[in-house]
């Protein structure tokens, strides 16, 4: 059981994950897929009055080939680059019909968010279009063969960054980019902290304008990890401060949601993934240093916001 300090909330109790299911069990996700678990609970939070937009990604396959669909809500498959634009169009159509109850949710991978889809996402965010954009981040182009993306962390193996030339660039700060748009709400979430994930989707649903939720989604084939270890890996990402859980409101108010009571060394997170097996002790020290610096910067922003 996790001993992390989870900040109490007034609007959502920890035990209030809805029982209703809006995702069928017969989907096509790999065993241990973080993206599938995240979708299941996002829909629990949002309910049946939801329209999902899925750009090209693993979820284009997970949902099933036409006429099949793993979701019990309307679903629109769209091109890789158009997650933000398609959601903006659906949102505008609902407004023209006077529908203020249906939530539009874009569900995109890191390739369709950090890279190929960032132009449409940025344009929609600048206009403050009314929808939720969720990025389930498995840190590479997994659906097409584990190629490097700008979400791939420093040091990682992919098929396009082999061990001899592993990823040399840091992971793009996508939440920082969205915060710079000064959208009403941006947050991180994890499949290892499902109450927190449900809370954030509920909160995003209650806010008008563009909302962005960044979800770390372990991928056993791409991360070279055991399917049974996905939740443990996701939890260690938070406990080691590699993937902090926090919210940013209106581009300026930072709130850290989970404070690791006994932070774990980053190596414990990395050693469960074969994609980092080649790293040296010096490499691990470099990653630990960078993680510590990023955490200190986040805490500084939260303190300046008066939330800790």
């Amino acid at each position: 059981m996790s001993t992390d300090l989870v900040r109490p909330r007034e609007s959502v109790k920890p035990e209030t994950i809805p029982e209703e299911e809006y995702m069928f069990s017969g989907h096509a996700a790999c065993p241990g897929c973080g993206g599938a678990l995240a979708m299941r609970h996002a829909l629990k939070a949002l309910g049946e009055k939801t329209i999902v937009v899925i750009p090209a990604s693993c979820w284009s396959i997970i949902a099933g080939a036409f006429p099949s669909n793993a979701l019990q809500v309307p679903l629109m498959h769209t091109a890789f680059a158009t997650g933000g634009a398609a959601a903006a169009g659906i949102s505008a159509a609902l407004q023209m019909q006077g529908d203020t109850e249906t939530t539009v949710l874009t569900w995109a991978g890191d390739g369709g968010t950090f890279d190929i889809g960032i132009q449409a996402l940025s344009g929609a965010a600048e206009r403050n279009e009314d929808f939720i954009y969720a990025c389930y981040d498995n840190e590479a182009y997994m659906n097409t063969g584990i190629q490097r993306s700008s979400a791939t962390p420093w040091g990682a193996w992919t098929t396009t960054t082999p061990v001899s030339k592993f990823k040399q660039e840091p992971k793009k700060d996508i939440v920082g980019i969205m915060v710079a748009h000064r959208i009403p709400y941006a947050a991180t979430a994890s499949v290892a902290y499902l109450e927190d994930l449900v809370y954030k989707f509920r909160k995003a649903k209650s806010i008008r304008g563009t909302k962005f939720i960044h979800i770390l989604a372990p991928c056993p084939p791409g991360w070279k990890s055991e399917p049974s270890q996905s939740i443990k890996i996701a939890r260690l990402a938070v406990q080691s401060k590699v993937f902090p859980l926090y919210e940013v409101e209106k581009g300026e108010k930072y709130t850290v949601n989970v404070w690791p009571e006994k932070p774990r060394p980053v190596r414990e997170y990395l050693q469960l993934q074969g994609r980092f097996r080649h790293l040296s002790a010096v490499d691990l020290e470099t990653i630990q240093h960078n993680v510590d610096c990023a955490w200190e910067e986040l805490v500084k922003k939260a303190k300046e916001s008066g939330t800790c």
Side-chain angles (χ1 to χ4, degrees), residues 91 95 99-102 128-131 183-185 203-211:
S91 178
Q95 291 175 32
D99 185 340
T100 59
E101 296 183 350
T102 301
N128 199 28
E129 302 284 0
D130 187 24
F131 68 99
I183 59 176
Y185 186 69
K203 184 170 182 176
K205 180 180 179 179
S206 72
I207 298 170
R208 299 286 293 178
T210 304
K211 291 80 62 175

Side-chain angles (χ1 to χ4, degrees), residues 111-170:
T113 303
F114 287 64
D115 299 334
I116 294 172
I118 196 168
Q119 47 80 26
L121 172 58
S122 177
E126 188 275 331
R127 298 188 302 272
N128 199 28
E129 302 284 0
D130 187 24
F131 68 99
I132 301 172
Y133 192 110
C135 173
Y136 70 97
D137 179 10
N138 49 34
E139 299 189 323
Y141 288 86
M142 299 306 184
N143 188 42
T144 54
I146 319 175
Q147 297 91 1
R148 164 210 191 282
S149 79
S150 62
T152 304
W154 184 92
W157 164 92
T158 69
T159 56
T160 51
T161 54
V163 169
S164 59
K165 294 183 179 180
F166 58 77
K167 177 94 176 326
Q168 296 295 316
E169 299 78 23

Side-chain angles (χ1 to χ4, degrees), residues 42-282:
L43 291 179
K44 280 176 172 285
L46 298 178
E48 63 181 347
K49 291 187 176 182
T50 303
I51 297 175
V52 180
V53 176
I54 298 182
S57 61
C58 290
W59 251 98
S60 298
I61 307 302
I62 295 171
F66 182 82
S68 299
N69 180 13
L71 305 183
Q72 299 182 47
V73 297
L75 165 62
M76 176 183 179
H77 289 286
T78 190
F80 222 147
T82 62
I90 294 173
S91 178
L94 291 172
Q95 291 175 32
M96 290 292 290
Q97 295 176 347
D99 185 340
T100 59
E101 296 183 350
T102 301
T103 300
V104 181
L105 169 67
T106 293
W107 192 265
D110 50 284
T113 303
F114 287 64
D115 299 334
I116 294 172
I118 196 168
Q119 47 80 26
L121 172 58
S122 177
E126 188 275 331
R127 298 188 302 272
N128 199 28
E129 302 284 0
D130 187 24
F131 68 99
I132 301 172
Y133 192 110
C135 173
Y136 70 97
D137 179 10
N138 49 34
E139 299 189 323
Y141 288 86
M142 299 306 184
N143 188 42
T144 54
I146 319 175
Q147 297 91 1
R148 164 210 191 282
S149 79
S150 62
T152 304
W154 184 92
W157 164 92
T158 69
T159 56
T160 51
T161 54
V163 169
S164 59
K165 294 183 179 180
F166 58 77
K167 177 94 176 326
Q168 296 295 316
E169 299 78 23
K171 180 171 181 169
K172 185 183 289 184
D173 180 10
I174 192 65
V175 175
I177 291 170
M178 297 311 298
V179 168
H181 287 73
R182 305 191 73 81
I183 59 176
Y185 186 69
T188 62
S190 169
V191 293
Y193 294 81
L194 291 173
E195 293 90 350
D196 180 78
L197 184 149
V198 168
Y199 159 78
K200 286 171 177 172
F201 273 94
R202 282 179 171 172
K203 184 170 182 176
K205 180 180 179 179
S206 72
I207 298 170
R208 299 286 293 178
T210 304
K211 291 80 62 175
F212 182 83
I213 300 179
H214 180 201
I215 309 164
L216 187 67
C219 171
W223 291 15
K224 294 187 174 182
S225 59
E226 291 296 324
S228 61
Q229 297 290 301
S230 290
I231 300 302
K232 181 177 181 179
I233 291 170
R235 185 173 293 115
L236 279 171
V238 175
Q239 293 174 339
S240 65
K241 304 174 183 176
V242 168
F243 193 83
L245 297 182
Y246 64 99
E247 304 167 273
V248 188
E249 298 176 68
K250 298 180 179 178
E252 56 187 25
K253 182 183 177 182
Y254 284 74
T255 302
V256 178
N257 305 115
V258 176
W259 295 79
E261 187 174 25
K262 296 180 179 179
R264 310 305 304 168
V266 172
R267 59 178 170 76
E268 292 188 12
Y269 166 70
L270 301 177
Q271 69 185 6
L272 294 178
Q273 305 168 59
R275 61 178 177 155
F276 295 112
R277 194 167 293 145
H278 55 278
L279 296 179
S280 67
V282 174

